[in-house]
Amino acid sequence: MFFGIPDWALGVGVIIIAGSVAKALSFAISPGRAEERERLRGERQRGRKPSLRDLSQAIDDIRGKAGDTEELQRRLDELEHVQRRLSEVEERLDFAERLLTKQRDVERLPSEQK
């Protein structure tokens, strides 16, 4: 017991604090989503339709996210290209190692002299 507080109560307090911190961090990491949800929730409660400005803002957001996706796709393609080149280099290295091993084996064999 800590200052007369049972251990289980301290554990529950720590869990509650950890949950609150996790929730705050999740909203801090993706603030756009939280704002968008609150905006849409407020519009639904008021019973009004989204305005043209809201729709154009949503379209701009989607275009921005699509641009990010294109950049990610470009990077992914570049990574796949590098992986193919690395695979080719590994194959060449394996071939060179086999040739060197073959040459060493030939040098180790006793030569037949007549």
Side-chain angles (χ1 to χ4, degrees):
M1 288 173 85
F2 184 72
F3 293 111
I5 301 172
D7 291 339
W8 64 268
L10 292 174
V12 169
V14 168
I15 291 171
I16 291 172
I17 291 171
S20 299
V21 169
K23 186 176 181 181
L25 286 176
S26 69
F27 283 116
I29 291 173
S30 61
R33 288 185 176 172
E35 292 171 1
E36 185 177 334
R37 279 188 299 233
E38 289 298 321
R39 183 175 46 85
L40 291 175
R41 187 177 298 138
E43 289 174 1
R44 286 187 195 134
Q45 288 174 353
R46 285 185 229 126
R48 71 179 181 102
K49 295 181 181 178
S51 68
L52 185 59
R53 182 175 146 241
D54 293 337
L55 292 175
S56 65
Q57 182 181 6
I59 291 171
D60 289 342
D61 291 344
I62 291 171
R63 284 185 181 152
K65 291 177 184 178
D68 293 343
T69 331
E70 290 171 359
E71 173 67 19
L72 289 174
Q73 185 61 43
R74 185 187 63 77
R75 288 183 178 189
L76 181 62
D77 292 341
E78 186 177 312
L79 178 63
E80 289 173 352
H81 176 72
V82 169
Q83 286 177 334
R84 280 192 301 273
R85 291 193 61 197
L86 178 62
S87 176
E88 291 172 4
V89 169
E90 287 174 340
E91 288 177 15
R92 290 179 183 188
L93 178 63
D94 289 342
F95 179 74
E97 286 175 342
R98 284 194 302 271
L99 284 178
L100 284 173
T101 303
K102 209 182 238 187
Q103 182 180 2
R104 288 181 187 155
D105 288 345
V106 168
E107 292 173 355
R108 288 183 188 166
L109 290 175
S111 59
E112 295 181 27
Q113 295 180 348
K114 293 183 178 181

